[in-house]
Amino acid sequence: MSRFRRPEQFDLLPYIGKWLVIASVVAFLAGSASALFLFALDRATAWREANRWIIWLLPLAGGAVGWVYFKLGKQVEAGNNLLIDEIHDPKKVVPLRMVPLVLGGTVISHLFGASVGREGTAVQMGGALADQLTHVFRMQPADRRILLMAGISAGFASVFGTPLAGALFGLEVLSIGRMRYDALFPCMVAGIVADQVGMAWGVHHMHYAIGKVVAVTPWSVGAVVIAGVIFGLVGLVFATATHQLGGLVKRWIFYPPLRPMLGGIVIALALWALGRAGFDAHRYIGLGIPSIVNAFQEPSAPWDFFGKLAFTVTSLGTGFKGGEVTPLFYIGATLGNALAPMLQLPFAMLAGIGFVAVFAGAANTPLATIVMAIELFGPQIGPLAAIGCITSYLCSGHTGIYHAQRVGHIKHHGGPPEELRIADVPQFRKKQQTQHVSATKDDHS
């Protein structure tokens, strides 16, 4: 007689119960931290806009933040990349000091006029707070990886009000072309609950009206593919320029606090010079939410995307704290707005696609950004947004804003080897090129 076997679903119940509780705790911590951060950010932005002279103190603010990180934050200075590295190769719990340091550093950056975002702050706070539960729940390395991913999802979801996109971001951002489905349930719970926690604290997220969405036709698909190629290339330029400037500044300036101080001087002088020329460049600093909203309402200046890109690369590359995502939203929305007349598409619709597609290419997260488009703009934009995001993702190459990201599956034949860090791809390419040149010389000999 065959022995009775218990259905496997019974074995899953403890797993579901465990992660339902743990992910909810993570979500409460991350959602509450994001709410505090967003309220502080609103106050800082309003004060800066009412007192524009404060931009002249940006060098001192940058130097102060750089000094604090130099003295207290060396272990957490890598930010998002530290979290990604810890998920791939767990070593030790992320220090709790990451939370107040990145929170204070980002609010100060916004208060005095740096062009940075907010996703990096929310993700770092969510990941660091989640990791403090490692010892509380006596997590093994495999579970700790999932815990950190849930913290990332919760931080992203709560700061943007996109619970499903936040959950997918935590799963997708670790590796190009690969997702870990063992963390799907915890990340989804963390993203959804964190968003609810933020709203319970009174957080209100921006809503964008895209108006008419054209039908899916050969012309609209072709036009969005063309736009997607441009979005991906701009995402590549943004990521590459930020990393290269950061590397140059570190080589040229040995004392870390001087780096953001120099960046602050450059930004303040650039705003002053542009102002003397009769050009108000203040829309390129801070989050730039009014300019993003404007891109959905009326035609934008065709150079706005480049202005934001230049100020953001300077801010992040010289060491100011914050994130890259909201500036990428700005760049994408204004670029899409500018491309719309040439591609004969509604400017608000293409601004919405650009909003998510440039981010998709720069962060290598096409699925999260497709879902984000649907959450922010409605399901009708889904098919065209998917085409734009995937095209951008493919055309951005094997680079990205998170240099700790791994190559899970290559985007095309001839890509770098799997498991290579994004930061190491340029060295791999150089080595390949050197070997090719050597082989060519040998053949001629």
Side-chain angles (χ1 to χ4, degrees):
M1 187 173 68
S2 62
R3 181 180 299 178
F4 172 77
R5 293 190 62 184
R6 183 173 60 180
E8 63 177 330
Q9 285 75 15
F10 283 96
D11 295 326
L12 290 173
L13 290 177
Y15 170 88
I16 292 174
K18 178 182 78 172
W19 283 112
L20 184 62
V21 172
I22 294 175
S24 296
V25 174
V26 169
F28 175 78
L29 295 173
S32 299
S34 290
L36 173 63
F37 169 55
L38 290 174
F39 292 143
L41 198 56
D42 286 344
R43 292 288 185 89
T45 300
W47 204 90
R48 185 193 70 240
E49 287 298 317
N51 301 272
R52 290 191 169 187
W53 57 266
I54 203 172
I55 189 67
W56 293 109
L57 299 181
L58 182 61
L60 296 179
V65 171
W67 184 84
V68 170
Y69 263 85
F70 179 62
K71 292 296 183 179
L72 303 175
K74 291 180 181 179
Q75 290 180 304
V76 299
E77 191 173 12
N80 291 347
N81 294 297
L82 172 61
L83 300 179
I84 294 173
D85 278 331
E86 282 295 326
I87 293 170
H88 283 290
D89 185 20
K91 292 179 180 177
K92 58 182 180 180
V93 172
V94 176
L96 184 60
R97 72 183 68 177
M98 173 181 271
V99 177
L101 285 175
V102 74
L103 173 62
T106 304
V107 172
I108 289 173
S109 295
H110 279 281
L111 175 63
F112 288 89
S115 176
V116 292
R118 51 189 173 174
E119 136 279 339
T121 306
V123 165
Q124 289 173 51
M125 291 193 301
L129 289 169
D131 211 16
Q132 306 312 306
L133 302 177
T134 296
H135 295 314
V136 175
F137 293 107
R138 299 180 181 180
M139 293 281 188
Q140 296 300 313
D143 281 347
R144 181 175 171 241
R145 290 188 177 99
I146 297 176
L147 183 69
L148 283 168
M149 293 167 70
I152 291 173
S153 294
F156 191 97
S158 57
V159 81
F160 291 124
T162 53
L164 302 185
L168 290 175
F169 179 82
L171 295 164
E172 198 176 18
V173 72
L174 306 178
S175 300
I176 294 177
R178 180 186 297 164
M179 291 176 61
R180 289 190 49 172
Y181 283 86
D182 59 334
L184 182 58
F185 180 75
C187 287
M188 196 61 70
V189 170
I192 293 171
V193 175
D195 179 52
Q196 294 296 315
V197 168
M199 288 191 291
W201 282 113
V203 171
H204 298 284
H205 298 285
M206 183 62 63
H207 296 281
Y208 306 95
I210 60 169
K212 179 185 177 182
V213 175
V214 300
V216 177
T217 64
W219 170 254
S220 64
V221 170
V224 171
V225 167
I226 294 171
V229 172
I230 298 172
F231 294 148
L233 293 176
V234 169
L236 183 151
V237 168
F238 178 90
T240 303
T242 302
H243 293 321
Q244 289 188 349
L245 178 61
L248 287 173
V249 169
K250 287 179 181 178
R251 287 197 295 271
W252 291 345
I253 303 175
F254 179 75
Y255 188 55
L258 290 180
R259 297 165 191 162
M261 182 176 289
L262 173 64
I265 293 172
V266 171
I267 292 169
L269 289 177
L271 286 175
W272 173 79
L274 290 170
R276 288 292 299 268
F279 188 82
D280 183 11
H282 276 81
R283 63 179 181 270
Y284 301 142
I285 62 175
L287 288 176
I289 297 295
S291 295
I292 297 176
V293 173
N294 185 73
F296 289 89
Q297 297 175 346
E298 61 186 33
S300 301
W303 54 80
D304 275 352
F305 84 94
F306 181 77
K308 185 63 173 178
L309 187 151
F311 275 88
T312 305
V313 166
T314 302
S315 298
L316 294 174
T318 55
F320 282 97
K321 301 305 174 183
E324 302 91 344
V325 175
T326 303
L328 286 169
F329 291 163
Y330 183 122
I331 293 166
T334 53
L335 178 59
N337 181 297
L339 291 174
M342 292 180 283
L343 297 173
Q344 298 180 22
L345 293 174
F347 68 83
M349 186 198 80
L350 198 55
I353 294 175
F355 182 102
V356 292
V358 172
F359 172 39
N364 296 303
T365 54
L367 297 182
T369 48
I370 293 169
V371 173
M372 172 175 273
I374 294 171
E375 288 186 298
L376 291 176
F377 310 129
Q380 70 277 9
I381 204 174
L384 292 176
I387 292 168
C389 289
I390 294 170
T391 304
S392 176
Y393 161 76
L394 293 173
C395 291
S396 65
H398 294 89
T399 185
I401 53 178
Y402 307 116
H403 59 237
Q405 203 173 44
R406 267 53 166 186
V407 178
H409 292 289
I410 57 175
K411 297 183 182 183
H412 55 78
H413 179 71
E418 295 182 359
E419 303 306 327
L420 191 69
R421 294 173 89 247
I422 289 293
D424 299 327
V425 171
Q427 289 80 3
F428 170 78
R429 296 294 191 196
K430 289 181 181 178
K431 184 177 179 181
Q432 263 191 330
Q433 188 175 13
T434 302
Q435 290 174 345
H436 176 72
V437 171
S438 300
T440 302
K441 289 181 178 178
D442 292 339
D443 289 342
H444 287 306
S445 300

